[in-house]
Amino acid sequence: MVDAMRILIFCLSLLLPAAAHAIDLPQAIGLADFARASRLPPVERVNIIDGRDDRDSLLAIGPSLGLSHGEIARIRSVSGYVGCLSPSPSVGSAALFLTNQQILTAAHVFFEPSGKRRWKCFFRPQSVDGPMIDLVVDDKTHFGSKRPKAGSNNDYAIVRLVEPLEGAVPFRVAPDVPVQNGDKLIVITAHPAEMEKEVDRDVPVAQGCEVRRAIDKSRSAAKTSFFRTDCDATGASSGGMNLSRVNGELVFRGITITTGPWRDPRYKGAPYSEKGGSVTTALGTDAAILAAGRAMAAGGS
C-alpha cells in the first residue's frame, strides 16, 4: 500500500511548476510553500511548435485521432505516470514495453542533475482506478548508459515492476517497418506541465503530430535510433509513448526525450525548425532499445 505522504508528494509534484522535461522538485515541500505557489501568476506556456497547443484529453481527442473505444482503453491501461520520491521527487511519462511487467521511459527521470540516482520509484497507469506499482531499480535495470545524459541517445530506461500489471497488453514494436518522414503519430503523455487546456489528471493527454525527419538507423543498427517531430512537449512530457499505425495496427514507435527551451517565449508557436530549436526528439523502440527490452523480458539485463 502507498502511504498518505507518498500520495501527497506525488500530487504536489504534478501541480507545482516544472523546470525540466521530467518534473524536478525540491526535496522538502511544505503545505505553506504549496499555497504560496498556487497564488503565483501563471507562467507563459511556450515551446509550442507550429502554432497553437492542440494537446487534449485522450477521451476528448481520441476519436478524432482515429482511435476506437477499445484502443483508448488499452492506451489507458499501459501508459501513465512514472516517478521517484527520493532524494528529490521527479515525475515523467512511461508505458509498458513488450511485457506487462516492464516499462520504457526517459532515463533522466531516475537521476538528479548531479548524476545521483533517485530511488523509491513507481509507475501508475491511467486506467480507471489504476494502481500505483513500485519499480525495481537495481543492477538489472537497463539504462542507456551508466550515466545517461538527458536528451541524448542514451536517455532511456527499461525498468521492472514489482508485479505484473494484470490485464494490460503492451503495444507491439514493428522493427521491420522503419519510421519514415511524414508518418502520423499519436503521442501520449501522463500530464504535461502548463498545457493550454485543463485536463483531468487521471486521463492521459494525447496529440496528433508528425515525424518530420526520420534517421536512417541502417548506418548504426546496433545503436539507438531516433526521429524528429513537430509534437508539442513541456515539463513531464519525457517518456511519453509515440504510437503510429502500421497496416492499420497501432504500434509503439518511440518515446519523447527532449524538446526546445520550453519556457522561452520565442518558442511559443514557432515554426518547426531543427536548427532553430523548435523541434521535439523521440528515441525509437527498435534497435538497441528493443534488444535491451527483449533481454530484460527473458530474465537478463
Side-chain angles (χ1 to χ4, degrees):
M1 294 294 291
V2 180
D3 61 35
M5 182 56 70
R6 180 169 174 176
I7 295 174
L8 173 61
I9 295 174
F10 172 61
C11 292
L12 291 177
S13 67
L14 297 180
L15 292 171
L16 288 174
H21 298 148
I23 295 180
D24 294 307
L25 297 173
Q27 181 174 356
I29 303 173
L31 291 178
D33 295 327
F34 173 66
R36 285 195 296 271
S38 67
R39 294 194 296 266
L40 294 175
V43 177
E44 184 175 14
R45 299 170 174 92
V46 294
N47 198 56
I48 302 304
I49 301 171
D50 285 340
R52 65 187 181 88
D53 184 351
D54 55 2
R55 294 173 292 181
D56 205 343
S57 160
L58 175 65
L59 298 181
I61 201 175
S64 68
L65 297 176
L67 297 173
S68 67
H69 291 300
E71 288 170 333
I72 290 171
R74 184 180 177 191
I75 288 170
R76 295 188 68 180
S77 72
V78 304
S79 66
Y81 295 100
V82 62
C84 299
L85 300 174
S86 294
S88 62
S90 68
V91 177
S93 303
L96 294 179
F97 184 55
L98 302 183
T99 80
N100 64 349
Q101 199 169 355
Q102 62 188 33
I103 60 166
L104 172 62
T105 187
H108 68 256
V109 172
F110 298 89
F111 293 85
E112 294 189 316
S114 66
K116 185 177 181 179
R117 179 86 63 84
R118 291 186 170 106
W119 63 89
K120 293 185 180 178
C121 303
F122 63 88
F123 172 67
R124 184 171 75 83
Q126 286 172 288
S127 53
V128 178
D129 298 323
M132 190 176 284
I133 304 174
D134 287 336
L135 296 176
V136 182
V137 184
D138 59 13
D139 291 341
K140 291 188 176 181
T141 300
H142 190 99
F143 294 112
S145 72
K146 291 182 178 180
R147 293 180 64 88
K149 181 180 177 182
S152 72
N153 277 27
N154 58 35
D155 188 13
Y156 69 93
I158 303 170
V159 192
R160 288 175 295 136
L161 282 63
V162 295
E163 58 187 13
L165 186 54
E166 295 297 336
V169 181
F171 289 94
R172 76 175 185 91
V173 177
D176 297 330
V177 182
V179 173
Q180 298 183 20
N181 294 352
D183 282 356
K184 301 299 182 183
L185 295 172
I186 299 173
V187 174
I188 306 297
T189 310
H191 197 282
E194 300 166 15
M195 60 180 287
E196 295 284 354
K197 294 183 179 179
E198 294 294 331
V199 173
D200 184 339
R201 295 177 187 275
D202 285 330
V203 178
V205 168
Q207 183 185 30
C209 43
E210 184 175 306
V211 175
R212 300 295 288 267
R213 185 165 72 94
I215 309 302
D216 181 8
K217 76 179 182 67
S218 65
R219 293 173 296 177
S220 55
K223 297 181 180 179
T224 310
S225 65
F226 66 99
F227 51 92
R228 312 289 195 193
T229 78
D230 56 14
C231 311
D232 298 331
T234 47
S237 293
S238 287
M241 178 171 59
N242 287 219
L243 297 167
S244 70
R245 291 197 184 274
V246 173
N247 298 322
E249 178 190 6
L250 280 178
V251 297
F252 195 168
R253 287 308 218 179
I255 57 168
T256 300
I257 57 162
T258 189
T259 190
W262 62 276
R263 276 184 163 161
D264 186 333
R266 292 174 298 176
Y267 290 82
K268 184 176 182 179
Y272 173 89
S273 170
E274 288 190 45
K275 184 176 181 181
S278 185
V279 59
T280 294
T281 300
L283 293 184
T285 50
D286 54 0
I289 289 179
L290 179 58
R294 287 171 169 169
M296 180 171 284
S301 60

